[in-house]
Amino acid sequence: MRSAAALALLAIFLAPLIGQVAFAAEKPVTITIGALLPLTGDLSDYGIRQKATLEVAIEDMNKYLEEHNAWFRLALAVEDTATQPDQAVQKFNALVARGIKFIIGPMSSAEAKKVKDLATQQNVLLISPSSTADELAIPGDNLYRFCSPNAVEADALAKLMEDLGIKGIVIIVRADTWGEDLRKAVEENAKKLGIEVKPALEYNPESPNFGAIASQAKDYVDDLAKKYGKPHVAVVILSFKEAVQLMTEAANYKSLRDVLWIGSDATAKLATISQDPVVRQFAKETLFINPLYSPAATENQKRIAEKVKAMIKDVPDAYSYAGYDAVVAIALALMKAPPEIRNDPDKLVDFVKQQLDNGLTMTDEFAKLSATGKFPLSKAGDRATADFDWWIVYDFNNKWDWYLVGKYFGLNQSNVWYKINGVTYLDLVKQKFGQAKPTTSAPATTTQSQPQQQPTTAAPSTQTTAKEEKKGGGSNAALIAGIIIVIIVIIGAALALRKK
């Protein structure tokens, strides 16, 4: 009896230890993250950068998961949506058919709108890095967005127009979910400022007639210029890559070359604009200015940018970094998943959503690993706050390129303008429009040299990380050795008792 009792106690004692050894020896499972990206079509510039950045994110996070003996590793499956909502649905279904439950994308709001209900019905988690339509901000669904909604961008555009003394605008807009949503927000803000808004000139992105659009825009501009003067009139275009065709047509009209043009995040930094001789000259003449979501700078961004540039000879944009952060968020959430749900994909999706809703993107670990640092999510699962950079196409020092000329701070709704070659964007506006000195009361802007971006969250030093890795590896070896010794000692004791 004594020996039987001893063996029973031995079994009880060894059970958890043997379980740990067996668990440590298990081969990690592979979880594939899908990506619905516009590798072709009107947003292909963004899609190509996003794909490369996601590949870097998967590589980086797999290294992190290996260092922490995580129960899984990540793989990436990319599908091309061609910036087409219907194709996005097809590609979504293809990914789901492969058992994929976590998807980065789609990038456009029109695609996201088409896919989001399917995702909720099939409990697939979508994290879009760039969909901004306000109408998609719905609490409780399966669409999360690591970018801010259109209302925040519309605030930035309104502040720009106020600072530049704009009195009348003509809006040319792409007739889709994103375009209509942003147009409404821009119109609402402009009217609050007392700015006259002409009826919007909408176009079907599948069959635009930009010749007719440009002609009508010219008539609207002439009418507004008679009331307020050309310096106080602006054309606002809410377009994707097709803006190149629109601006090519608009360049034929002097009236349209003589007023300010304002773009959006969808035209900011488009290479097709800065590379086309006619369009870039038009952009320079009209001081075409575009806001682009500006996440907080971190040390990780520089490292990620170097990797991406080595892959595609281009650097990530702000939305690329948001995609990177989506991979980080999914990985960190899955690491916390309890063993009893790891074989249940639906429970894993619910668990990751719960982690996001409970503030995972505000944790120190997320800040350490992410590209944009900590940020809060709204109740709808969207990035709650945002700043915007201001970009223009110019030929400073005889080099055509996109130049960063200022920044809009969402928190206090103010602009800061940077000097390039001794001039600010406001100086260029004054030079172009003569008496176009802003007519609003002193704008809340300041001027400073273009700043060096500073990280908002301290990143860990390489030395610290290496030390932690070494410490983690040593602990595991000691644990296994200790278990073996304990097993030997207890078995010996049990045999001795049996002899007695």
Side-chain angles (χ1 to χ4, degrees), residues 285-301:
E285 286 186 58
T286 60
L287 295 177
F288 182 48
I289 186 167
N290 298 258
L292 183 61
Y293 155 64
S294 175
T298 67
E299 287 294 327
N300 280 342
Q301 282 181 20

mmCIF file of all heavy atoms in Angstrom, residues 285-301:
data_model
loop_
_atom_site.group_PDB
_atom_site.id
_atom_site.type_symbol
_atom_site.label_atom_id
_atom_site.label_comp_id
_atom_site.label_asym_id
_atom_site.label_seq_id
_atom_site.Cartn_x
_atom_site.Cartn_y
_atom_site.Cartn_z
ATOM 1 N N GLU A 285 1.857 74.405 -60.973
ATOM 2 C CA GLU A 285 1.171 75.666 -61.236
ATOM 3 C C GLU A 285 0.011 75.891 -60.287
ATOM 4 O O GLU A 285 -0.269 77.023 -59.880
ATOM 5 C CB GLU A 285 0.655 75.689 -62.678
ATOM 6 C CG GLU A 285 1.716 75.889 -63.735
ATOM 7 C CD GLU A 285 1.103 76.047 -65.118
ATOM 8 O OE1 GLU A 285 0.292 76.972 -65.306
ATOM 9 O OE2 GLU A 285 1.428 75.223 -65.999
ATOM 10 N N THR A 286 -0.665 74.833 -59.921
ATOM 11 C CA THR A 286 -1.861 74.965 -59.067
ATOM 12 C C THR A 286 -1.541 74.715 -57.598
ATOM 13 O O THR A 286 -2.448 74.708 -56.765
ATOM 14 C CB THR A 286 -2.935 73.970 -59.516
ATOM 15 O OG1 THR A 286 -2.409 72.632 -59.417
ATOM 16 C CG2 THR A 286 -3.369 74.237 -60.945
ATOM 17 N N LEU A 287 -0.259 74.517 -57.296
ATOM 18 C CA LEU A 287 0.185 74.232 -55.916
ATOM 19 C C LEU A 287 -0.652 73.116 -55.300
ATOM 20 O O LEU A 287 -1.103 73.190 -54.149
ATOM 21 C CB LEU A 287 0.125 75.493 -55.057
ATOM 22 C CG LEU A 287 1.103 76.595 -55.502
ATOM 23 C CD1 LEU A 287 0.937 77.836 -54.643
ATOM 24 C CD2 LEU A 287 2.547 76.103 -55.433
ATOM 25 N N PHE A 288 -0.890 72.103 -56.111
ATOM 26 C CA PHE A 288 -1.714 70.940 -55.738
ATOM 27 C C PHE A 288 -1.196 70.335 -54.426
ATOM 28 O O PHE A 288 -0.083 69.831 -54.344
ATOM 29 C CB PHE A 288 -1.624 69.921 -56.868
ATOM 30 C CG PHE A 288 -2.448 68.688 -56.674
ATOM 31 C CD1 PHE A 288 -3.782 68.745 -56.294
ATOM 32 C CD2 PHE A 288 -1.892 67.434 -56.921
ATOM 33 C CE1 PHE A 288 -4.540 67.598 -56.153
ATOM 34 C CE2 PHE A 288 -2.643 66.278 -56.782
ATOM 35 C CZ PHE A 288 -3.970 66.365 -56.389
ATOM 36 N N ILE A 289 -2.033 70.381 -53.400
ATOM 37 C CA ILE A 289 -1.598 69.949 -52.065
ATOM 38 C C ILE A 289 -2.491 68.818 -51.565
ATOM 39 O O ILE A 289 -3.707 68.834 -51.768
ATOM 40 C CB ILE A 289 -1.593 71.136 -51.072
ATOM 41 C CG1 ILE A 289 -1.006 70.698 -49.720
ATOM 42 C CG2 ILE A 289 -2.982 71.764 -50.929
ATOM 43 C CD1 ILE A 289 -0.669 71.866 -48.800
ATOM 44 N N ASN A 290 -1.866 67.834 -50.930
ATOM 45 C CA ASN A 290 -2.575 66.603 -50.537
ATOM 46 C C ASN A 290 -2.252 66.220 -49.093
ATOM 47 O O ASN A 290 -1.087 66.214 -48.698
ATOM 48 C CB ASN A 290 -2.122 65.444 -51.420
ATOM 49 C CG ASN A 290 -2.438 65.680 -52.872
ATOM 50 O OD1 ASN A 290 -3.386 65.139 -53.412
ATOM 51 N ND2 ASN A 290 -1.628 66.514 -53.533
ATOM 52 N N PRO A 291 -3.271 65.856 -48.326
ATOM 53 C CA PRO A 291 -3.019 65.352 -46.972
ATOM 54 C C PRO A 291 -2.749 63.846 -47.019
ATOM 55 O O PRO A 291 -3.313 63.139 -47.862
ATOM 56 C CB PRO A 291 -4.335 65.633 -46.253
ATOM 57 C CG PRO A 291 -5.362 65.472 -47.327
ATOM 58 C CD PRO A 291 -4.723 65.936 -48.620
ATOM 59 N N LEU A 292 -1.909 63.384 -46.159
ATOM 60 C CA LEU A 292 -1.680 61.940 -46.042
ATOM 61 C C LEU A 292 -1.557 61.596 -44.572
ATOM 62 O O LEU A 292 -0.739 62.202 -43.862
ATOM 63 C CB LEU A 292 -0.413 61.524 -46.793
ATOM 64 C CG LEU A 292 -0.117 60.007 -46.787
ATOM 65 C CD1 LEU A 292 -1.248 59.239 -47.467
ATOM 66 C CD2 LEU A 292 1.202 59.707 -47.485
ATOM 67 N N TYR A 293 -2.367 60.674 -44.149
ATOM 68 C CA TYR A 293 -2.354 60.222 -42.750
ATOM 69 C C TYR A 293 -0.917 60.053 -42.254
ATOM 70 O O TYR A 293 -0.083 59.444 -42.923
ATOM 71 C CB TYR A 293 -3.140 58.915 -42.651
ATOM 72 C CG TYR A 293 -2.764 58.035 -41.504
ATOM 73 C CD1 TYR A 293 -2.954 58.456 -40.194
ATOM 74 C CD2 TYR A 293 -2.205 56.780 -41.739
ATOM 75 C CE1 TYR A 293 -2.587 57.646 -39.150
ATOM 76 C CE2 TYR A 293 -1.845 55.962 -40.705
ATOM 77 C CZ TYR A 293 -2.032 56.387 -39.403
ATOM 78 O OH TYR A 293 -1.657 55.584 -38.369
ATOM 79 N N SER A 294 -0.629 60.593 -41.084
ATOM 80 C CA SER A 294 0.746 60.635 -40.583
ATOM 81 C C SER A 294 0.831 59.965 -39.210
ATOM 82 O O SER A 294 0.600 60.613 -38.185
ATOM 83 C CB SER A 294 1.204 62.099 -40.471
ATOM 84 O OG SER A 294 2.489 62.184 -39.885
ATOM 85 N N PRO A 295 1.152 58.694 -39.171
ATOM 86 C CA PRO A 295 1.277 58.020 -37.884
ATOM 87 C C PRO A 295 2.510 58.489 -37.134
ATOM 88 O O PRO A 295 3.445 59.042 -37.730
ATOM 89 C CB PRO A 295 1.419 56.550 -38.287
ATOM 90 C CG PRO A 295 2.050 56.606 -39.631
ATOM 91 C CD PRO A 295 1.485 57.822 -40.300
ATOM 92 N N ALA A 296 2.502 58.261 -35.840
ATOM 93 C CA ALA A 296 3.662 58.636 -35.031
ATOM 94 C C ALA A 296 4.899 57.899 -35.532
ATOM 95 O O ALA A 296 4.855 56.723 -35.880
ATOM 96 C CB ALA A 296 3.395 58.289 -33.568
ATOM 97 N N ALA A 297 6.015 58.607 -35.597
ATOM 98 C CA ALA A 297 7.263 58.001 -36.068
ATOM 99 C C ALA A 297 7.889 57.143 -34.978
ATOM 100 O O ALA A 297 7.812 57.467 -33.800
ATOM 101 C CB ALA A 297 8.227 59.096 -36.480
ATOM 102 N N THR A 298 8.489 56.038 -35.362
ATOM 103 C CA THR A 298 9.180 55.163 -34.409
ATOM 104 C C THR A 298 10.508 54.705 -35.007
ATOM 105 O O THR A 298 10.737 54.836 -36.212
ATOM 106 C CB THR A 298 8.339 53.902 -34.099
ATOM 107 O OG1 THR A 298 8.275 53.107 -35.287
ATOM 108 C CG2 THR A 298 6.935 54.255 -33.646
ATOM 109 N N GLU A 299 11.354 54.165 -34.179
ATOM 110 C CA GLU A 299 12.624 53.621 -34.665
ATOM 111 C C GLU A 299 12.356 52.454 -35.606
ATOM 112 O O GLU A 299 13.096 52.221 -36.563
ATOM 113 C CB GLU A 299 13.481 53.164 -33.486
ATOM 114 C CG GLU A 299 14.098 54.298 -32.676
ATOM 115 C CD GLU A 299 15.107 55.082 -33.486
ATOM 116 O OE1 GLU A 299 15.777 54.478 -34.335
ATOM 117 O OE2 GLU A 299 15.213 56.300 -33.280
ATOM 118 N N ASN A 300 11.304 51.704 -35.352
ATOM 119 C CA ASN A 300 10.989 50.563 -36.210
ATOM 120 C C ASN A 300 10.731 50.984 -37.651
ATOM 121 O O ASN A 300 11.025 50.236 -38.585
ATOM 122 C CB ASN A 300 9.762 49.821 -35.673
ATOM 123 C CG ASN A 300 10.118 48.909 -34.516
ATOM 124 O OD1 ASN A 300 11.278 48.568 -34.330
ATOM 125 N ND2 ASN A 300 9.121 48.534 -33.731
ATOM 126 N N GLN A 301 10.147 52.156 -37.840
ATOM 127 C CA GLN A 301 9.827 52.582 -39.205
ATOM 128 C C GLN A 301 11.067 52.644 -40.086
ATOM 129 O O GLN A 301 11.033 52.234 -41.252
ATOM 130 C CB GLN A 301 9.139 53.947 -39.172
ATOM 131 C CG GLN A 301 7.682 53.895 -38.775
ATOM 132 C CD GLN A 301 7.038 55.258 -38.789
ATOM 133 O OE1 GLN A 301 7.528 56.198 -39.422
ATOM 134 N NE2 GLN A 301 5.919 55.386 -38.092
#
